Amino acid sequence: MPELPGTSNVAEPQRTTAEDGRYRRRFAVFSVVVLLFALAAAALVSWWQPMEPDPKWLWIGALLAVGFLLAELLAVNVDARGGVSWTISFTEIPLVIGLFVAPFQVVLAAHLAAAVGTYLARRVQDRMIYNTGVFIIEIASAFSVTALVNMLLGGSGPAWLGVLAGALAAPLSSTLLAVLAMHVLGRGMRVGAALRLVSRTLVIGVVNASVGVAGFEVATRIDTGWPLVLVALGGLTVLYLAYSGLVREQRDLEALSEVSLIVARSGHQAAARPASGLEDTAEVVNDAEWQGIAHRIKDQLGAARVVMRLQLWIQGPMMTFTSGDPLPDEAAALEVTGARADPLLRLPGSKVRHLRRDDTTAELRQALDRRGVEEALVVPLRSASHLLGVVEVHDKLSRWRGFGQADLRMVETMASHLATAIDNRRLLATLRHDAYHDPLTGLLNRPGFRQAAGQQLRDRPRSVVLRLDLDVLPTISDALGYAWSDRMVITAGRRLRAALGPEAPLARLEGGAFAALLVDATLEQAHGTAERLCAELSAPYPVDRLTVDAGSVAGYSSPAAVAGGPGGTEIDTNLATALDVDTLLQRADVALRGARAAGERVRAYLPSMGQIYLRRFQLVSQFRAALETGQVKVHYQPKVALPSRQLLGVEALVRWRHPEFGPLDPDEFVPAVEAAGLVDTLTHFVMDQALVRARKWIDAGLRLSVAVNISVRSLSDQDFPDRVAERLRQHRVPAELLTLELTESGVMADPQRALPVLRRLHTLGVVLAVDDFGTGYSSLAYLRQLPVDEVKIDKSFVLGMGSDLGDLAVVRSIVELGHSLGLTVVAEGVEEDIARDQLAAMGCDVAQGYLISRPLSERRLEAWLSARTTPAQGLRDEVVLTLIS
């Protein structure tokens, strides 16, 4: 028949402490009401059916008590769902016999003695008031229904019919009270589930009551009927025991499945949590779930207490979860390792141990005494040789029998499942940690920083994203190897963590690049923090018996700052929620690059910075289309000889008229094109246009040279001379009419690769000129090695000649140096007559600048030639153009 056992046999739903206390108080009141009602019912039935004193009631009551006790001991647990512990017992059989041979008072006393004694022996006492009331109501309802049915039959029907009805009334009444008790405890059952429970009760009751009635009739009416009754009871017992085994296996499988699912769910939840801002991520443990596992194991084994000591993540603490009787203080916190480790926590292997206090070693007996138990099942949870935890099952609730082989198998199998699930959980946690953390420093990586900072940015729009770079790493890697640069990165990460504290999200993005989130910081505070962090990163690093001074630079951006600069404090919350971490990192990186380019240590992001980089991106992405659609054109600036003013040639200069931005300065788009790897396309385009122009002049009888600027990329391209030769052949232009202008810095960037290319171009016959001379390395030794024909004095010196004696001296020195090396000297930026005359007096060979002409389109250049020059016959029958004064 269904009973409501103590808390050890009820699967409590997850509730808060306050809610649990409220339901317990409600059930306590309900239990008292049930007991009072039962006592009143017993009094009424005793008044209705008084007992006549007779000495035989003593031995009959004792035999019935033994029968009820055997029925309780042979009870079979069928199911445990929805908080109801469903039990098949044989209590209807002794109840039927009692209805036949004994009065109400005797049967009630026998039933109470057996049932209450059994519960006390099993130490299930917390719901004794309720269960005692139920026991009384069962017997009272059975005798009442029996008397009512007999009254209705009036002696005309079989005598056993009333007994059968009374025997069915007992389990039916207890079932209805159990359903009501579930509702009081907050675990109400659905109508369908309640009806199924009642139907099961009736089926089992009919079987047991029928067996009891049939056995009594056979035993009393047939002289040799007792053996037949005993055989029937034995068969029924065997049948119930076989069914019990099947049910036990089913419940064991359900328990194993439930435990595995709880652990797996906990592991998936831990893996799905957003990354923490800490480099050592401490998992958040749901105590209720693990406590539920302990409850489930305890319920399944019928134990007084289950203790699970688990290390849920690597290098984490050993956590203790207890179900049932509280652990004694001395057993609550035990050492797991070391000389003082508890004996039960350092058992070898992973097999379950069945320990009894009376037949174990002194050391293990002390461990059991420390826990206050007589018997325990102990099984270590291991993954390979690593201890994951220990599960302890203390004392069987039944004092008639201890833990059996089925219990040992159950514990061992469940421990194996639990160890596998915990190991998988730890693996998931490790994979998750590796996915969101930098393996070198232990800090967050970019995905981890995105998760850790994302939610805080949405909740706190006044936060600031900070980017920092450690600049010395390539030098250290080249000189000492990656191991030393890695050590510097680790040290830098530790310095940043110490400066920011343990709670701030901090990440290493790559190389020496770090990112941090400054929560609830104004831009002024962020600027100060960035300065302080840069100072920390710039402190000397001890490297291989050396002290290395490192440079650092920082940029920062906030989703909430409208005004730029350190003092901007206005908040735009709509903008704050629209920006994500990646956008802010990108903006902070833009600010960092701006700070590095300007020679500053820290810079805040300004909206104008984003527009600049967006514009550069647009120019690069539209450049090829601009070449094809004619937006990019070549202009020409004439060069004349001094002092004869003879036109020697032109310099080809690229110009871009953008349909949206208008005329673009070459200083704006050429570096962007070069950084994007498109400079070869630009160089070949300008060269082709210039050679086409040169060929037209040759066809017109003019020998005018064209000069084309080349980039560092061209100087490092070993095939570049071959492509130049191919274009000269294609356009049928002599090599001496093509001048290639290169910068000092371009040659000095990689002289080992540039010099062979220059020598091949020089052998080809192309004129080589060093552009912007005086602003680069200015190494005379390298200048002597370069196979160049011209030097071009930078216009910054030429423009200052008239007002600065220093510039005048520099120009004179360059002219003398160039002539001493046999080079032609060209002066750029000639804009005044006095500058032209000074250059002529110094012996400068060629002048170029606005005084002569601005860069002109091809059509305007032809007009300029017609208007500003006079033709004459040259020595080789070519036409020579001379500039008109």
Side-chain angles (χ1 to χ4, degrees):
M1 60 183 64
E3 299 168 354
L4 191 67
T7 54
S8 61
N9 293 330
V10 179
E12 298 279 356
Q14 303 297 334
R15 290 196 293 246
T16 64
T17 303
E19 291 176 338
D20 187 67
R22 179 161 54 87
Y23 282 114
R24 287 181 181 275
R25 288 191 296 272
R26 286 176 53 183
F27 183 75
V29 174
F30 176 73
S31 299
V32 172
V33 172
V34 170
L35 181 59
L36 293 177
F37 176 79
L39 293 175
L44 288 174
V45 174
S46 297
W47 172 78
W48 182 20
Q49 302 178 27
M51 180 183 71
E52 297 180 2
D54 192 329
K56 67 178 181 180
W57 301 140
L58 292 177
W59 63 266
I60 290 177
L63 291 177
L64 288 175
V66 172
F68 281 119
L69 182 60
L70 290 175
E72 290 289 343
L73 293 179
L74 295 175
V76 179
N77 292 323
V78 176
D79 200 358
R81 295 179 181 176
V84 175
S85 180
W86 177 251
T87 302
I88 296 177
S89 70
F90 302 99
T91 53
E92 289 86 357
I93 295 176
L95 177 58
V96 165
I97 297 174
L99 289 170
F100 274 119
V101 302
F104 164 73
Q105 293 80 358
V106 174
V107 177
L108 176 61
H111 187 38
L112 284 177
V116 175
T118 302
Y119 271 80
L120 289 175
R122 292 179 178 177
R123 296 189 295 178
V124 182
Q125 304 172 12
D126 53 348
R127 291 181 178 165
M128 185 59 66
I129 295 176
Y130 168 82
N131 285 324
T132 301
V134 171
F135 298 149
I136 297 173
I137 291 174
E138 287 177 342
I139 304 302
S141 61
F143 274 85
S144 299
V145 171
T146 300
L148 289 174
V149 172
N150 290 335
M151 289 174 58
L152 292 175
L153 293 176
S156 60
W160 54 262
L161 189 58
V163 173
L164 182 63
L168 292 177
L172 186 60
S173 62
S174 62
T175 302
L176 295 177
L177 283 173
V179 172
L180 184 59
M182 291 298 100
H183 178 75
V184 172
L185 282 171
R187 301 191 300 271
M189 301 178 67
R190 295 181 179 178
V191 175
L195 291 176
R196 286 193 298 271
L197 182 60
V198 173
S199 64
R200 291 178 182 179
T201 301
L202 291 176
V203 170
I204 299 299
V206 167
V207 173
N208 287 337
S210 299
V211 170
V213 170
F216 183 81
E217 290 291 325
V218 169
T220 57
R221 296 183 183 275
I222 302 176
D223 294 336
T224 58
W226 282 105
L228 183 61
V229 172
L230 292 176
V231 170
L233 289 176
L236 181 63
T237 302
V238 171
L239 179 63
Y240 277 163
L241 289 177
Y243 184 62
S244 172
L246 294 175
V247 169
R248 173 65 184 259
E249 293 179 2
Q250 175 194 355
R251 294 183 63 219
D252 287 350
L253 291 175
E254 290 179 353
L256 289 172
S257 176
E258 183 177 346
V259 169
S260 299
L261 288 175
I262 292 175
V263 178
R265 183 171 62 247
S266 177
H268 286 302
Q269 290 173 352
R273 282 187 305 102
S276 168
L278 306 177
E279 56 265 45
D280 291 325
T281 305
E283 293 194 40
V284 177
V285 179
N286 188 342
D287 291 346
E289 289 186 344
W290 295 99
Q291 204 72 40
I293 294 176
H295 279 307
R296 191 69 177 89
I297 298 175
K298 178 179 176 294
D299 296 345
Q300 187 68 18
L301 298 175
R305 180 199 299 138
V306 168
V307 181
M308 298 195 310
R309 306 178 195 270
L310 306 176
Q311 189 179 32
L312 296 177
W313 62 90
I314 300 174
Q315 298 180 348
M318 188 72 76
M319 306 186 68
T320 302
F321 305 94
T322 304
S323 174
D325 298 339
L327 269 175
D329 293 339
E330 59 179 336
L334 299 174
E335 294 188 23
V336 181
T337 58
R340 301 179 60 185
D342 185 81
L344 299 188
L345 302 184
R346 50 184 172 87
L347 293 173
S350 57
K351 296 294 184 181
V352 61
R353 269 75 165 187
H354 187 186
L355 305 176
R356 297 183 181 88
R357 188 182 181 281
D358 297 334
D359 59 354
T360 187
T361 63
E363 186 181 34
L364 294 177
R365 186 181 303 113
Q366 290 178 358
L368 294 177
D369 291 341
R370 193 180 297 121
R371 292 162 172 80
V373 298
E374 295 290 330
E375 181 185 22
L377 300 180
V378 183
V379 55
L381 308 179
R382 296 188 182 277
S383 170
S385 59
H386 303 290
L387 182 66
L388 304 176
V390 177
V391 175
E392 304 175 23
V393 183
H394 297 165
D395 285 344
K396 191 78 171 178
L397 285 174
S398 173
R399 285 305 185 190
W400 283 274
R401 60 186 178 92
F403 295 112
Q405 288 300 317
D407 296 322
L408 269 67
R409 290 194 298 270
M410 173 62 189
V411 170
E412 188 168 10
T413 306
M414 186 170 289
S416 176
H417 282 241
L418 194 60
T420 302
I422 293 177
D423 197 30
N424 291 338
R425 185 181 193 276
R426 293 174 65 170
L427 177 60
L428 280 174
T430 300
L431 293 175
R432 178 185 180 279
H433 182 277
D434 293 344
Y436 290 120
H437 289 78
D438 173 52
L440 180 62
T441 62
L443 302 175
L444 296 170
N445 56 15
R446 189 182 296 274
F449 185 77
R450 183 185 297 118
Q451 283 208 21
Q455 185 59 47
Q456 295 197 49
L457 279 170
R458 286 188 290 271
D459 296 339
R460 300 176 178 179
R462 291 180 181 272
S463 302
V464 176
V465 172
L466 176 65
R467 272 275 290 109
L468 301 106
D469 266 4
L470 187 65
D471 289 337
V472 75
L473 292 182
T475 304
I476 297 298
S477 299
D478 295 341
L480 302 176
Y482 290 111
W484 285 105
S485 63
D486 287 347
R487 294 179 188 179
M488 287 189 64
V489 170
I490 294 172
T491 302
R494 290 173 179 170
R495 291 180 181 180
L496 292 175
R497 172 53 69 205
L500 290 172
E503 301 297 332
L506 175 63
R508 178 201 177 212
L509 304 180
E510 67 224 353
F514 296 89
L517 180 69
L518 307 181
V519 180
D520 290 335
T522 64
L523 293 184
E524 184 175 9
Q525 292 171 336
H527 196 91
T529 301
E531 291 279 5
R532 178 165 55 87
L533 295 179
C534 283
E536 291 284 345
L537 290 181
S538 300
Y541 293 81
V543 176
D544 195 17
R545 292 173 295 178
L546 301 174
T547 299
V548 177
D549 292 325
S552 62
V553 63
Y556 59 91
S557 174
S558 171
V562 178
T569 57
E570 297 182 32
I571 301 298
D572 183 351
T573 54
N574 292 330
L575 179 62
T577 56
L579 298 179
D580 58 12
V581 178
D582 288 333
T583 300
L584 292 171
L585 274 175
Q586 181 262 334
R587 293 185 173 186
D589 192 60
V590 168
L592 183 145
R593 282 183 278 141
R596 179 182 284 120
E600 300 174 1
R601 174 175 278 189
V602 177
R603 176 172 285 193
Y605 174 81
L606 300 176
S608 57
M609 296 179 182
Q611 294 300 321
I612 292 173
Y613 283 97
L614 179 60
R615 175 163 167 153
R616 290 188 63 179
F617 174 76
Q618 288 181 286
L619 295 181
V620 169
S621 61
Q622 298 170 4
F623 178 72
R624 288 189 182 275
L627 290 177
E628 296 171 358
T629 57
Q631 298 175 27
V632 179
K633 297 183 179 299
V634 177
H635 287 203
Y636 303 92
Q637 187 173 30
K639 299 189 293 184
V640 299
L642 294 178
S644 65
R645 301 182 183 178
Q646 178 182 342
L647 182 64
L648 300 178
V650 296
E651 180 179 0
L653 302 171
V654 66
R655 294 293 183 267
W656 184 356
R657 178 174 289 277
H658 195 277
E660 179 181 353
F661 304 134
L664 300 176
D665 191 286
D667 291 338
E668 178 183 2
F669 69 85
V670 171
V673 169
E674 188 168 4
L678 299 174
V679 70
D680 288 343
T681 302
L682 176 61
T683 300
H684 296 151
F685 171 79
V686 175
M687 187 181 299
D688 286 335
Q689 296 294 314
L691 292 176
V692 168
R693 181 68 268 175
R695 182 67 247 175
K696 291 181 179 179
W697 283 330
I698 292 173
D699 294 340
L702 296 173
R703 288 183 61 85
L704 297 178
S705 66
V706 290
V708 177
N709 292 279
I710 60 176
S711 68
V712 179
R713 185 183 180 92
S714 298
L715 293 177
S716 62
D717 184 1
Q718 300 300 315
D719 296 331
F720 181 68
D722 296 332
R723 287 196 289 272
V724 171
E726 174 62 27
R727 279 171 167 74
L728 289 172
R729 286 192 297 271
Q730 177 183 349
H731 296 288
R732 296 177 293 114
V733 174
E736 64 269 17
L737 293 184
L738 175 63
T739 300
L740 298 180
E741 297 186 1
L742 50 113
T743 61
E744 292 177 82
S745 58
V747 177
M748 295 304 122
D750 189 358
Q752 298 302 320
R753 294 177 62 89
L755 285 174
V757 174
L758 291 176
R759 292 191 181 102
R760 290 178 60 192
L761 290 171
H762 189 266
T763 302
L764 189 63
V766 173
V767 178
L768 299 178
V770 178
D771 199 7
D772 301 332
F773 189 79
T775 60
Y777 289 87
S778 301
S779 170
L780 297 180
Y782 271 113
L783 186 60
R784 290 176 56 191
Q785 297 178 19
L786 296 178
V788 297
D789 306 287
E790 294 182 1
V791 292
K792 298 186 72 173
I793 306 172
D794 187 71
K795 63 182 179 180
S796 60
F797 300 115
V798 177
L799 291 174
M801 285 175 48
S803 58
D804 192 325
L805 295 178
D807 289 343
L808 182 64
V810 169
V811 171
R812 180 178 286 107
S813 298
I814 294 175
V815 171
E816 292 174 356
L817 173 64
H819 288 164
S820 67
L821 295 175
L823 304 177
T824 301
V825 180
V826 180
E828 294 182 295
V830 180
E831 298 185 359
E832 299 177 351
D833 292 332
I834 186 173
R836 180 196 58 198
D837 296 339
Q838 288 176 324
L839 289 169
M842 295 177 190
C844 182
D845 301 303
V846 181
Q848 177 182 348
Y850 286 180
L851 178 66
I852 301 167
S853 174
R854 293 177 176 273
L856 303 171
S857 64
E858 184 174 347
R859 182 178 58 82
R860 295 184 62 188
L861 177 63
E862 291 299 326
W864 182 87
L865 292 175
S866 300
R868 294 293 308 279
T869 62
T870 57
Q873 193 69 26
L875 297 178
R876 291 182 292 181
D877 294 332
E878 76 277 10
V879 177
V880 176
L881 300 179
T882 304
L883 183 66
I884 300 174
S885 301

